[in-house]
Amino acid sequence: MTRSPPEWPDDIFRALRGMDIRQVAYVPDAGHARLLDLCGAEPTMTMVPLTTEEEGIAVLAGAWLGGRRGVLLMQSSGIGNCVNMLSLTRNCEFPLFILVTMRGQAGETNPWQVPMGRISGDVLGLAGVMVHGVDEPGRVGETVSAGGRTAFDGPAAVAVLIAQSVVGIKDFGDQAD
Amino acid sequence: MTRSERYPLRRRAVVESLLADRGDLLVVAGLGAPCWDVTAAGDHALTFPLWGAMGSAALIGLGLALARPARRVLVITGDGEMLMGLGGLATIAVQAPENLAIAVLDNERYGETGMQATHTAFGVDLAAVAAAAGLPVTGTVGDDAGLGAAVAKLRGARGPVFFTIKVRAEDLPPALPPRDGVHLKDRFRRALLGEKEAV
């Protein structure tokens, strides 16, 4: 059966363009694959691939010092890599806008994704990041738009956690259905 | 006495020459001694000094350089700080902003914690790492003649530029910049972007 591609990544892209995002810092996740393609084809957006997610917090702080807005894309396991760097965000009250595709939730087939996935929201909250979860594909775009307004008008640190039920379950091909 | 206690270059004088006639240069200073050195050379609204966030200095410089491609960005940091963000050199090499320069003041010690040896004391070569990552202009200098050439490239060569500057291990009185991060961020944006854009 052929399914049409999901539309929520396109909704995110429109929201990011609407808020004048110029730098897209990321460690890739399968859940962000289409969004990364869309942003990569947008001439006003500079794609900044990272070796680890914490780099993105520093890069986007620099972007803000220079008057530009950016977004940080990652999967939930990347949140643990960011913790000390979030002190930069907090001490200086930099705006920070993170879009996280969740792993380790219902249906996860890789147990190594579970520990960080379970504590993602709590870790971000402890580090001073506002967390907005979204678990309906049709509400992703509006949640991203609202989160971006809070981040850049605040300024505030905001993460949108896109549930695994929206992103889909990675299939390793070794499970009996 | 270990090797770096005999290095001829003194860090405060090195930073003074890096920042001489700074004009509209944008500066990011890594935590610890480089931050005190930059402050000793003169606190400035277009300097963003770090009190923490170890490993971030070069990457803040990257984001700033990409945001303002017409302005020269100079990151001044230490060997310990740079070692914590080595992956960032790969990230910088991929972007390759021509206006970004990084100067590492390498005394081969963690100066804020008791002068313990860093990895560079055992031979880890940060400029070689930067060159291997793909930065086009790199080098290591340790005397006045080398410093003069390095400063010229750090201030003017088409980058990204990376220099390791070997400096004497010495414990100097700190010159402290303001601690308030919001103030440091806001004054930088006001000075760079103007009052209207910055708020």
Side-chain angles (χ1 to χ4, degrees):
Chain A
M1 189 176 84
T2 308
R3 290 193 301 178
S4 58
E7 292 171 7
W8 59 268
D10 299 69
D11 297 338
I12 295 177
F13 174 67
R14 277 189 289 275
L16 295 180
R17 214 173 40 180
M19 63 183 82
D20 198 26
I21 293 293
R22 298 296 187 92
Q23 295 187 22
V24 180
Y26 67 95
V27 174
D29 180 58
H32 279 315
R34 174 157 176 78
L35 176 61
L36 288 169
D37 286 343
L38 291 167
C39 293
E42 168 57 47
T44 63
M45 294 182 179
T46 299
M47 304 301 287
V48 185
L50 311 166
T51 71
T52 177
E53 290 83 354
E54 66 177 320
E55 293 178 4
I57 293 170
V59 169
L60 298 182
W64 184 254
L65 286 176
R68 296 290 188 220
R69 296 177 173 192
V71 69
L72 176 56
L73 309 180
M74 67 176 75
Q75 66 167 249
S76 46
S77 291
I79 290 167
N81 292 345
C82 293
V83 175
N84 182 55
M85 204 60 88
L86 287 166
S87 65
L88 173 68
T89 310
R90 190 160 189 168
N91 272 308
C92 302
E93 294 181 8
F94 279 108
L96 177 64
F97 193 36
I98 310 176
L99 305 181
V100 182
T101 43
M102 292 302 299
R103 298 288 305 269
Q105 295 182 326
E108 176 61 65
T109 60
N110 178 356
W112 296 59
Q113 291 281 359
V114 173
M116 200 61 230
R118 284 186 61 181
I119 62 172
S120 293
D122 289 342
V123 167
L124 287 167
L126 284 167
V129 180
M130 297 170 64
V131 176
H132 300 307
V134 57
D135 58 6
E136 295 174 43
R139 300 201 61 184
V140 172
E142 66 190 75
T143 306
V144 169
S145 290
R149 279 196 298 276
T150 303
F152 295 112
D153 291 347
V158 176
V160 174
L161 271 47
I162 304 165
Q164 197 156 6
S165 59
V166 173
V167 176
I169 307 297
K170 182 169 178 173
D171 179 5
F172 290 91
D174 62 346
Q175 304 283 325
D177 282 326
Chain B
M1 199 148 123
T2 59
R3 183 173 68 175
S4 63
E5 288 171 57
R6 292 189 295 271
Y7 287 161
L9 291 178
R10 311 290 294 270
R11 55 188 312 133
R12 292 273 159 94
V14 167
V15 170
E16 273 182 29
S17 53
L18 283 170
L19 295 176
D21 303 318
R22 60 181 282 172
D24 63 359
L25 187 68
L26 308 178
V27 176
V28 178
L31 88 176
C35 191
W36 320 147
D37 299 333
V38 167
T39 305
D43 188 33
H44 197 290
L46 289 177
T47 294
F48 188 69
L50 290 155
W51 283 79
M54 192 164 174
S56 69
L59 290 155
I60 294 172
L62 172 63
L64 180 56
L66 293 174
R68 297 265 77 94
R71 297 290 287 265
R72 190 76 175 180
V73 176
L74 175 61
V75 176
I76 300 173
T77 191
D79 44 312
E81 206 274 347
M82 193 68 244
L83 282 162
M84 197 172 277
L86 279 187
L89 292 174
T91 296
I92 288 164
V94 170
Q95 299 301 319
E98 295 180 359
N99 57 326
L100 177 63
I102 301 162
V104 174
L105 307 174
D106 183 4
N107 67 350
E108 306 177 357
R109 305 292 185 92
Y110 290 103
E112 294 302 301
T113 56
M115 298 299 270
Q116 298 89 349
T118 67
H119 296 44
T120 64
F122 301 91
V124 173
D125 182 342
L126 290 169
V129 173
L135 273 67
V137 182
T138 63
T140 299
V141 298
D143 58 24
D144 279 322
L147 178 65
V151 169
K153 287 178 179 166
L154 285 161
R155 292 288 298 269
R158 178 181 289 195
V161 178
F162 183 104
F163 272 90
T164 297
I165 303 170
K166 291 287 186 180
V167 296
R168 182 175 301 180
E170 55 183 338
D171 202 4
L172 298 170
L176 304 180
R179 283 182 173 81
D180 180 348
V182 177
H183 167 70
L184 293 168
K185 174 200 67 176
D186 288 346
R187 75 174 190 175
F188 191 102
R189 280 171 51 88
R190 278 198 196 95
L192 177 59
L193 307 169
E195 192 71 34
K196 191 157 169 260
E197 283 284 311
V199 291

